[in-house]
Amino acid sequence: MGVDTFLRLEAVKQATGLGRSSIYMLMGESKFPKPVKLNGDGGKAVAWLASEIAEWQRQRIAARDRVAA
């Protein structure tokens, strides 16, 4: 198994076209990947796995294609 890439919030926003509020709202609705804490229990730094963001993108494309069909 290879090493995944961590994406910080700005990279996730760039990749998805979503803003911070939308990302956290979708996370609260379990419709967007949850981040990984980078500093253990005490820190606030988080990042998302690139593979999970890519999967979310594929799901959005598939949903679009189902509607178009």
Side-chain angles (χ1 to χ4, degrees):
M1 182 170 149
V3 175
D4 208 340
T5 300
F6 286 130
L7 300 176
R8 298 299 303 268
L9 180 60
E10 287 303 316
V12 173
K13 288 168 48 178
Q14 182 71 28
T16 63
L18 297 171
R20 179 190 182 284
S21 296
S22 295
I23 290 168
Y24 280 94
M25 180 187 71
L26 289 170
M27 282 176 19
E29 297 172 358
S30 297
K31 296 179 180 177
F32 196 81
K34 296 206 182 315
V36 175
K37 287 190 175 200
L38 299 180
N39 296 339
D41 293 333
K44 293 183 180 181
V46 298
W48 287 258
L49 293 175
S51 62
E52 292 180 356
I53 298 301
E55 177 59 27
W56 179 87
Q57 291 170 321
R58 285 189 288 276
Q59 290 172 2
R60 299 307 311 140
I61 293 166
R64 175 205 62 192
D65 293 347
R66 281 193 301 276
V67 170

